[in-house]
Amino acid sequence: MNIRSLPIKNLKKKPGRTAVLLILVIFLSFAVFAGSVTVSSLGNGLSGLERRLGADIIVVPSSARSHVDLEQMLLSGTPGYFYMDKSNLGKVLSVEGVEKASPQYFMASVKAGCCSLKTQIIGFDPDTDFSVTPWISESYQSRLETQDVVVGSDITVPVGGRVRFYDVNCNVVAKLAPTGTGLDTAVYANDDTVKILMQAAADKGMAQTEGDPDTLISAIYIKVADGYDVQTVADYINIYMKKVEAVPARSMLSGISDSLSGISDTIKLLVAAVWILAFVIMIIVFSGLVNERKKEFAVLRVVGMSRKMLARLILTESLILSVIGGVIGIALGAAVVFPFSAAIEARIGLPFLTPGAGTVILLAALSLVAALVAGPAASAYSAYKLSRVDTGVILREGM
Amino acid sequence: MKLEAVNLSRRFTRIKGDANYFTAVSPTDFSLKEGAVTVLMGRSGSGKTTLLNMLGGLLEPSTGSVSVDGRDLYAMDDDERSRFRNRCIGVMPQGHSALSSLTVLENVILPHALYGAGEDAEEYARELLSRFAIADISDVRSSELSGGEARRMTIARALICRPGIILADEPTGDLDDENTVLVLETLRSLADEGASVLIVTHENDAARFADEIYRMDGGTLKKI
């Protein structure tokens, strides 16, 4: 008989009571962990998107908005295309405050026999690009050759495999890290490859433009020099350049950012509400239990247990429940959030990028702390109340 | 060990926050002598259990003091008093006082395990269980015990730390005649070995084992 085993024996003796408390802690830690991972994934998705965009301003043909949903196409990889004259690039480069400018080429493959898959194909100029290359270099350090492509993480073709667009075979040389957006289904190639694909599409009667691919670009990605205001540069382009529209990237993201912030706030509120609700229920349950176990505790006092030891016993029981319930709740949270992150992303329509192992471990640790605090804190009041009652008063009421 | 109470009294509040009190034990002097059995008789509600609880360091008195071998119980802090009670005072509370999560043997060892190694006490615990004829149920959960078995287990538990003072509240309440005699004889023999024993009881039979008899009536203690 070791006194340290008493809390475990007490918990085992009343499985129903133990199960109720355990479920409460599981519920609490599940909510805290799943909620915090979700909020972190949403934040991560937005930062990933910002990083991925990599530009301060994007210049597109002014007719683009009437053809496609610009934000959907640029941020979510929804297949689409538009073109403008390449001479715009030189004009943009001459605008004061523009530090770098690089063209991009968009085209959409089709769901037909000539193409392996229907997706957005994004071409860039390796010599001037500053937005796609840093991202690609995380998984592929060599220069992209003609007919080499880098695919988004959600495209199932393996590295070393081939994809076919308009009957042109392309080599998959790398797969990108996930962004948590529809861009994970896009394909990236250099400008020469895209021009070959545009020509191939035209040869099949599926031309996406009437013009000469060599004189066309889809968009210009701009990096604004330090000391210049992004909005001012964009305004200047909009005023002085014809038939183009300069869109500050941040304003493009603001809609997503607002939705994300709204959802994150709601989740945070729900997590806090669940924590408080579970905590209050636990206080009530512990209070009821202490009342029910008053005579048991009186016996312990009779045989020489001090108030401190009694409080420690009650706190240890709740701590054991908190540890077990906390771990189970976190495991359940992980089992729900991680395997279904793609479904969550599709459901809420926002970038959703689950955090790395380090952040997940940190969130799990914090969730466990939330459970560890809740259990003992909920029982602390009852333990304190009990320790104030004279044992003789309980004994007087009769065993 | 010698226990002495001086001017000991206890009042209880009837209604919380109101000045409506009743006196459970009127100011009284009382002592337990080493090697003697003192029997305290009286009707239900006469204040016997309240007096016993104050003597055992379980209920703060309204006035007066309780000392054991010159040490004032209520001058000690809770930690010290609890440990002192554990080692020196064996209290047998009224009714069923077994811990349901423990076996009979574990219940008996429990007081010893609180401040030391429970394993050291196992042999003596088994000896006590044999003495009270409950050795065969030592591994049974105490929730499965009959009233008589639970009572005998409580007595064994009170004796596990070999206390110098034994305070027994209705120790024969649930026992048949045979076990009643066994318990009273045991308490008598403990007193003969030097313990100070107080038996609070309704049983007139206890009187023949007593060295001193008191009666409690309406909170007032009288020696018979």
Side-chain angles (χ1 to χ4, degrees):
Chain A
M1 168 69 193
N2 188 326
I3 198 65
R4 290 203 179 105
S5 64
L6 192 56
I8 297 276
K9 285 176 192 283
N10 287 342
L11 293 174
K12 278 188 184 167
K13 176 63 191 168
K14 297 281 182 185
R17 184 173 78 189
T18 302
V20 168
L21 285 165
L22 211 52
I23 288 167
L24 279 171
V25 183
I26 289 171
F27 185 54
L28 182 149
S29 60
F30 171 86
V32 172
F33 182 67
S36 57
V37 168
T38 303
V39 169
S40 173
S41 300
L42 290 170
N44 231 14
L46 183 66
S47 336
L49 200 56
E50 272 176 338
R51 276 199 311 277
R52 162 66 195 90
L53 217 51
D56 297 321
I57 300 170
I58 299 170
V59 178
V60 295
S62 44
S63 59
R65 279 194 194 278
S66 59
H67 294 310
V68 294
D69 183 332
L70 199 59
E71 279 78 10
Q72 276 293 310
M73 204 191 104
L74 294 175
L75 304 178
S76 303
T78 306
Y81 51 85
F82 42 75
Y83 299 100
M84 60 184 170
D85 197 87
K86 196 175 182 176
S87 61
N88 285 310
L89 178 62
K91 292 177 191 166
V92 163
L93 275 167
S94 66
V95 171
E96 191 184 347
V98 172
E99 184 187 336
K100 291 177 188 171
S102 181
Q104 285 197 4
Y105 308 81
F106 305 139
M107 69 177 297
S109 63
V110 291
K111 198 174 181 180
C114 63
C115 297
S116 307
L117 49 120
K118 183 178 189 297
T119 187
Q120 175 76 338
I121 301 167
I122 299 168
F124 60 93
D125 174 9
D127 296 327
T128 58
D129 176 71
F130 58 88
S131 65
V132 181
T133 307
W135 190 41
I136 286 180
S137 66
E138 287 175 16
S139 47
Y140 188 69
Q141 285 77 36
S142 306
R143 192 179 170 86
L144 279 183
E145 301 297 335
T146 307
Q147 290 181 233
D148 281 352
V149 293
V150 174
V151 297
S153 62
D154 286 350
I155 289 184
T156 51
V157 182
V159 173
R162 284 184 167 188
V163 281
R164 196 175 70 257
F165 298 117
Y166 302 103
D167 284 334
V168 175
N169 282 321
C170 297
N171 309 311
V172 176
V173 295
K175 192 168 270 199
L176 295 169
T179 62
T181 69
L183 288 172
D184 292 337
T185 60
V187 168
Y188 298 83
N190 65 22
D191 45 355
D192 292 337
T193 304
V194 174
K195 283 171 192 167
I196 290 171
L197 296 179
M198 287 167 84
Q199 190 57 56
D203 293 347
K204 290 191 163 299
M206 292 187 267
Q208 295 181 358
T209 174
E210 299 287 307
D212 175 4
D214 283 332
T215 63
L216 298 174
I217 56 175
S218 296
I220 302 168
Y221 279 53
I222 295 173
K223 175 102 182 108
V224 172
D226 287 345
Y228 286 88
D229 178 53
V230 171
Q231 189 61 53
T232 308
V233 175
D235 288 346
Y236 183 90
I237 293 169
N238 285 330
I239 292 166
Y240 293 103
M241 283 181 65
K242 300 269 187 274
K243 296 183 178 175
V244 296
E245 181 185 356
V247 187
R250 196 157 283 279
S251 76
M252 215 181 288
L253 289 171
S254 66
I256 291 182
S257 181
D258 289 348
S259 310
L260 192 137
S261 158
I263 287 190
S264 292
D265 288 349
T266 308
I267 293 171
K268 282 178 196 165
L269 206 68
L270 280 174
V271 168
V274 166
W275 195 93
I276 291 167
L277 187 70
F279 182 64
V280 169
I281 295 173
M282 280 165 79
I283 289 178
I284 295 166
V285 171
F286 271 116
S287 178
L289 285 182
V290 164
N291 216 32
E292 178 198 312
R293 297 174 67 189
K294 218 157 66 174
K295 286 169 186 170
E296 175 192 333
F297 295 142
V299 171
L300 288 168
R301 294 279 288 142
V302 162
V303 299
M305 191 174 256
S306 67
R307 285 183 172 129
K308 279 183 199 158
M309 290 167 82
L310 190 57
R312 208 178 301 141
L313 173 76
I314 297 169
L315 292 176
T316 306
E317 285 182 21
S318 61
L319 196 65
I320 291 168
L321 286 171
S322 298
V323 170
I324 297 171
V327 169
I328 295 174
I330 289 166
L332 283 177
V336 168
V337 174
F338 297 124
F340 298 107
S341 59
I344 295 170
E345 180 194 332
R347 179 84 186 149
I348 58 180
L350 288 171
F352 190 90
L353 185 59
T354 49
T359 309
V360 170
I361 290 168
L362 182 70
L363 292 175
L366 290 175
S367 306
L368 192 60
V369 168
L372 295 186
V373 167
S379 63
Y381 173 66
S382 303
Y384 172 78
K385 213 170 73 174
L386 184 75
S387 72
R388 297 295 100 194
V389 180
D390 259 324
T391 310
V393 173
I394 301 168
L395 293 174
R396 199 172 145 265
E397 290 167 3
M399 301 293 288
Chain B
M1 294 184 113
K2 193 177 178 195
L3 183 147
E4 276 196 303
V6 179
N7 193 33
L8 199 64
S9 75
R10 175 70 199 205
R11 290 195 308 173
F12 288 103
T13 313
R14 277 192 211 278
I15 304 160
K16 210 171 178 181
D18 200 321
N20 190 355
Y21 297 103
F22 77 96
T23 303
V25 175
S26 301
T28 189
D29 295 338
F30 180 77
S31 66
L32 283 180
K33 293 183 181 70
E34 276 180 326
V37 171
T38 302
V39 170
L40 175 57
M41 304 175 89
R43 288 183 292 113
S44 293
S46 60
K48 303 186 300 292
T49 297
T50 301
L51 177 62
L52 182 142
N53 287 334
M54 287 193 288
L55 297 175
L58 294 164
L59 183 66
E60 194 99 27
S62 301
T63 64
S65 64
V66 178
S67 60
V68 176
D69 284 349
R71 294 186 67 189
D72 187 344
L73 275 188
Y74 292 99
M76 299 176 190
D77 66 17
D78 183 66
D79 288 349
E80 199 183 350
R81 187 164 61 243
S82 299
R83 196 175 181 119
F84 185 83
R85 181 169 56 249
N86 175 266
R87 289 295 164 216
C88 303
I89 306 174
V91 181
M92 302 172 199
Q94 225 179 95
H96 196 299
S97 68
L99 293 187
S100 59
S101 57
L102 302 180
T103 64
V104 170
L105 181 66
E106 287 170 335
N107 260 286
V108 173
I109 294 174
L110 177 69
H112 198 276
L114 281 182
Y115 297 98
E119 291 76 13
D120 300 346
E122 189 169 331
E123 198 183 325
Y124 184 48
R126 289 192 185 279
E127 193 185 313
L128 287 169
L129 292 179
S130 298
R131 191 166 172 182
F132 293 108
I134 47 174
D136 55 330
I137 54 166
S138 63
D139 293 328
V140 169
R141 293 268 158 210
S142 52
S143 50
E144 296 165 31
L145 300 182
S146 69
E149 288 167 336
R151 188 103 292 263
R152 281 179 279 158
M153 189 224 71
T154 305
I155 298 167
R157 188 180 63 200
L159 303 181
I160 189 73
C161 292
R162 302 173 200 267
I165 296 167
I166 296 162
L167 306 177
D169 196 356
E170 303 285 1
T172 57
D174 299 311
L175 301 181
D176 55 25
D177 290 348
E178 193 183 338
N179 277 307
T180 297
V181 172
L182 173 72
V183 168
L184 293 173
E185 279 177 352
T186 303
L187 292 171
R188 177 69 256 176
S189 68
L190 290 167
D192 293 341
E193 288 163 22
S196 311
V197 178
L198 172 67
I199 302 172
V200 169
T201 184
H202 286 100
E203 307 273 349
N204 289 329
D205 279 359
R208 64 189 170 96
F209 294 89
D211 296 305
E212 285 188 321
I213 302 173
Y214 285 82
R215 177 167 289 281
M216 196 87 172
D217 194 10
T220 306
L221 189 68
K222 282 180 191 159
K223 190 171 180 180
I224 299 173

